[in-house]
Amino acid sequence: MRNFQADDDSILRQAMFDHLDRCLAGAQAEFLSSRVINTFEIQGQPIRLIVQSGIRKVQGHPGALTIRTTYTPPSAVPPYIDDVGSNGLVRYKYRGQDEGHSDNRALRHAMETGLPLAYFVGIAPGIYLPIYPVYVEAEDQSRHEFAIAVDQYLHGHDLDSIDTFQREYRTSVTKARLHQPSFRARVLHAYNSTCTICRLHHAELLDAAHILPDSHPQGLPIVPNALTLCKLHHAAFDRNLLGIRPDFVVEVKPELLREIDGPMLQHGLKEMNGTQLVLPKERASRPDRARLLERYEEFRSTK
Ligand SMILES: [Zn+2]
């Protein structure tokens, strides 16, 4: 076995992305534990991808390999949601205040050479949503931060352009690649990837549903304003075919209870009437009763 060489940088990065692909293919969800992420090795040499510092460098490789954002508590809006720069990209703070710090130099090198990185977004203690490849696109020394493109389609744009359409496009891609998946990951993880109504445990059939919508002043992208629902129960909840009382009991629309149809109506909807939600173990992740009440009143008013 030979030692891994500095000129193998692109091989190292590709091997890391292949490793993450394999980890995700073997997982039941879009998020991974740091223990699984850190099983990476190349040519027999283990390389931890998540370390104590937010910025990961590997000896012999001048460009940063990974970056990380720590998780926020369930009831807080993660900082990266509010902190999209005017160029539509994610802001990523320097390590400390010193632009010459070796971690900041490693990010600058990645920026200058256009290297792809992996970005690990913390969604719970020790649990991360991996986003890759991402690119360091720009640096704002006065704000002590870099701008991160969270999708390859955002890489290599002219960020000084004042084209509003371009900026809006970049903002919408950032939302689709970072904000929505991290909200979904936080909510699904809180509910152990289980529909809160019927206990279906298949992430590919589950959604993170808002209790109060985005457009509502209290419709924040936080876990207590969300439920993990399967596709059927999400659609039924959105269309007020069923409601959820603030004491976490499911109510099915009376007209539906009187209908006679096949097994999906019977077992999937009618039998859910009067059942209790399956709630997250962590109290701080449970649905907020005030938001549920407001949403339940809307359900009642449509009867
Ligand atoms: Zn369900």
Side-chain angles (χ1 to χ4, degrees), residues 53-242:
S53 149
I55 299 163
R56 174 64 166 135
K57 312 183 298 289
V58 175
Q59 204 175 10
H61 297 255
L65 183 65
T66 78
I67 54 173
R68 178 172 68 95
T69 297
T70 53
Y71 80 100
T72 31
S75 55
V77 177
Y80 49 80
I81 300 266
D82 285 333
D83 213 12
V84 171
S86 57
N87 53 24
L89 302 185
V90 180
R91 301 181 199 272
Y92 193 84
K93 285 285 173 206
Y94 279 180
R95 170 89 184 269
Q97 301 286 310
D98 175 12
E99 64 185 53
H101 187 287
S102 61
D103 283 0
N104 301 329
R105 288 207 314 271
L107 278 182
R108 195 170 297 120
H109 182 89
M111 174 180 77
E112 287 163 357
T113 49
L115 295 175
L117 293 82
Y119 180 19
F120 299 113
V121 182
I123 57 158
I127 306 291
Y128 294 89
L129 172 74
I131 301 178
Y132 55 94
V134 304
Y135 298 85
V136 186
E137 289 302 295
E139 178 176 6
D140 185 337
Q141 295 197 341
S142 65
R143 292 180 58 107
H144 292 153
E145 66 188 26
F146 292 94
I148 308 293
V150 290
D151 190 288
Q152 55 193 334
Y153 295 111
L154 299 180
H155 175 45
H157 287 224
D158 174 12
L159 297 178
D160 296 327
S161 153
I162 51 163
D163 183 335
T164 314
F165 176 78
Q166 275 294 324
R167 255 201 330 265
E168 284 176 6
Y169 166 75
R170 290 195 294 263
T171 304
S172 72
V173 174
T174 298
K175 284 184 177 162
R177 287 285 288 145
L178 172 63
H179 300 185
Q180 288 153 15
S182 72
F183 175 67
R184 173 183 163 83
R186 293 174 81 208
V187 176
L188 262 65
H189 180 263
Y191 285 78
N192 190 27
S193 299
T194 303
C195 174
T196 184
I197 293 180
C198 70
R199 300 167 196 222
L200 186 72
H201 185 51
H202 272 274
E204 61 272 41
L205 296 174
L206 298 174
D207 291 332
H210 277 79
I211 296 173
L212 295 176
D214 264 346
S215 50
H216 188 288
Q218 293 301 313
L220 300 176
I222 56 174
V223 181
N225 183 42
L227 299 163
T228 295
L229 291 174
C230 69
K231 302 283 180 192
L232 173 68
H233 291 132
H234 188 186
F237 180 68
D238 278 356
R239 286 163 183 71
N240 292 313
L241 297 176
L242 63 80

Side-chain angles (χ1 to χ4, degrees), residues 18-38:
D18 292 345
H19 164 73
L20 293 172
D21 284 347
R22 281 194 303 275
C23 290
L24 286 169
Q28 299 297 312
E30 300 91 2
F31 42 83
L32 298 171
S33 70
S34 52
R35 188 186 54 77
V36 168
I37 292 168
N38 278 342

